């Protein structure tokens, strides 16, 4: 005698909420026995090609003496469970197929604890994937470098909400860089959201020698220096001073430029350009030796 369900074949079905699930009950060696399909409550959905169940979401796709194939449209979570294929032999045979319903995350949100950070600070970002099933895996990237967050899962009836926390120490090189929260989930492809970091940093100051372009600073010749400073916010306050000494009388300072039209030995020393913004103050030094 045949074993339990030995002559029947079916497959499990995984489907995204709202899509169509197709259930197939097949007979390997048909002897014209009746095939029927039952729902998880063991109500008959199809008996041969007849549907006793008053649910028009079930439709016949194929019916023969070797297969009963049925589609279920607009699948919802309540449709999950075991569906039974039965073959009316003597004794009857039965196997089951399981429908699993996936739900993509409802939405994905990044929340930054501080909209604007200062270099060297640690900031906290949270990414939340709402109401999915199964629970979502959240991955973090800063630019194209993957970072590691810490995830927490909350369960509401059949759904999972996942929040991942990322603690990030920011530097000036992070200003304008996107932080990306990306979802790994069987029901969606390429779901991600991003926020651009805004990082304030104190000025970076550089002094360059405009004249003489190359070569020595000689007595009697002119010297022109320029100070450049970049920062966020852009530095407003820039000043020249001479370290450990008074600025010589004949030095002309106009904005970021310092000009000595006629060098002499008394000008020797260190000239400093200082720049400041809301974050802090920085400087760069130029050491003058008159030949």
């Amino acid at each position: 005698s045949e074993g339990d369900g030995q002559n029947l074949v079916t497959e499990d079905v995984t489907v995204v909420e709202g899509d169509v699930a197709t259930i197939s009950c097949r007979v390997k060696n048909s002897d014209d026995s009746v095939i029927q399909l039952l729902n998880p409550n063991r109500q008959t959905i199809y008996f041969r090609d007849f549907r006793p169940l008053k649910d028009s979401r079930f439709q016949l796709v194929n019916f023969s003496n070797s297969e009963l194939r049925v589609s279920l449209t607009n699948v919802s979570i309540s449709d999950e469970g075991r569906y039974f294929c039965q073959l009316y032999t003597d004794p009857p045979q039965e196997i089951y197929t399981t429908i699993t319903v996936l739900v993509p995350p409802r939405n994905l949100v990044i929340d930054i604890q501080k909209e604007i950070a200062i270099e060297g600070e640690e900031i906290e970002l949270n990414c939340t994937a709402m109401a999915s099933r199964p629970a979502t895996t959240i991955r973090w990237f800063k630019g194209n470098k993957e970072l590691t967050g810490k995830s927490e899962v909350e369960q509401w009836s059949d759904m999972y909400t996942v929040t991942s926390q990322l603690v990030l120490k920011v530097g000036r090189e992070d200003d304008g860089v996107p932080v990306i929260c990306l979802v790994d989930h069987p029901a969606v492809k390429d779901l991600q959201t991003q926020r651009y970091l805004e990082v304030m940093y104190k000025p970076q100051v550089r002094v360059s020698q405009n004249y003489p372009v190359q070569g020595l600073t000689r007595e009697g010749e002119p010297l022109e220096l320029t100070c450049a400073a970049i920062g966020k916010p852009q530095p407003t306050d820039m000043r020249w001073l001479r370290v450990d000494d008074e600025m010589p009388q004949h030095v002309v300072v106009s904005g970021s430029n310092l000009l000595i039209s006629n060098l002499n030995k008394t000008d020797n020393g260190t000239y400093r350009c200082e720049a400041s913004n809301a974050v802090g103050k920085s400087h760069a030094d130029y050491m003058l030796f008159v030949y």
Side-chain angles (χ1 to χ4, degrees), residues 111-279:
D111 178 52
I112 300 192
Q113 156 211 22
K114 280 183 112 163
E115 285 298 325
I116 300 173
I118 293 171
E119 62 176 335
E121 269 188 334
E122 275 198 337
I123 59 167
E124 185 189 300
L125 298 96
N126 285 289
C127 185
T128 306
M130 302 288 291
S132 74
R133 148 191 199 129
T136 296
T137 301
I138 290 180
R139 295 166 69 195
W140 288 99
F141 293 85
K142 186 180 81 178
N144 50 17
K145 178 174 187 276
E146 184 155 4
L147 306 171
T148 309
K150 198 170 90 228
S151 282
E152 270 183 20
V153 180
E154 270 184 282
Q155 187 175 358
W156 297 90
S157 67
D158 308 352
M159 303 287 213
Y160 300 89
T161 288
V162 180
T163 300
S164 179
Q165 181 194 69
L166 179 69
V167 176
L168 196 57
K169 188 174 176 158
V170 291
R172 62 181 60 199
E173 68 283 351
D174 295 323
D175 184 47
V177 171
V179 169
I180 298 153
C181 168
L182 181 139
V183 153
D184 260 345
H185 192 274
V188 284
K189 262 196 166 52
D190 307 326
L191 176 62
Q192 59 177 70
T193 184
Q194 60 182 33
R195 292 283 290 268
Y196 289 89
L197 295 171
E198 193 162 341
V199 183
M200 312 262 270
Y201 53 92
K202 66 182 189 181
Q204 281 170 301
V205 186
R206 209 178 79 247
V207 170
S208 48
Q209 179 181 308
N210 292 355
Y211 190 89
V213 180
Q214 283 147 322
L216 305 176
T217 42
R218 290 201 174 86
E219 201 166 8
E221 294 202 349
L223 169 72
E224 190 188 355
L225 303 177
T226 296
C227 180
I230 54 164
K232 186 164 180 169
Q234 194 52 37
T236 43
D237 191 31
M238 195 185 277
R239 63 195 202 97
W240 281 98
L241 52 104
R242 189 179 181 186
V243 181
D244 303 330
D245 211 339
E246 290 291 307
M247 192 68 101
Q249 289 289 302
H250 55 280
V251 168
V252 178
V253 172
S254 78
S256 56
N257 285 17
L258 179 146
L259 182 70
I260 303 177
S261 54
N262 191 347
L263 288 170
N264 72 55
K265 294 270 191 221
T266 62
D267 300 328
N268 282 351
T270 301
Y271 292 81
R272 173 170 293 175
C273 172
E274 278 183 350
S276 58
N277 64 7
V279 181

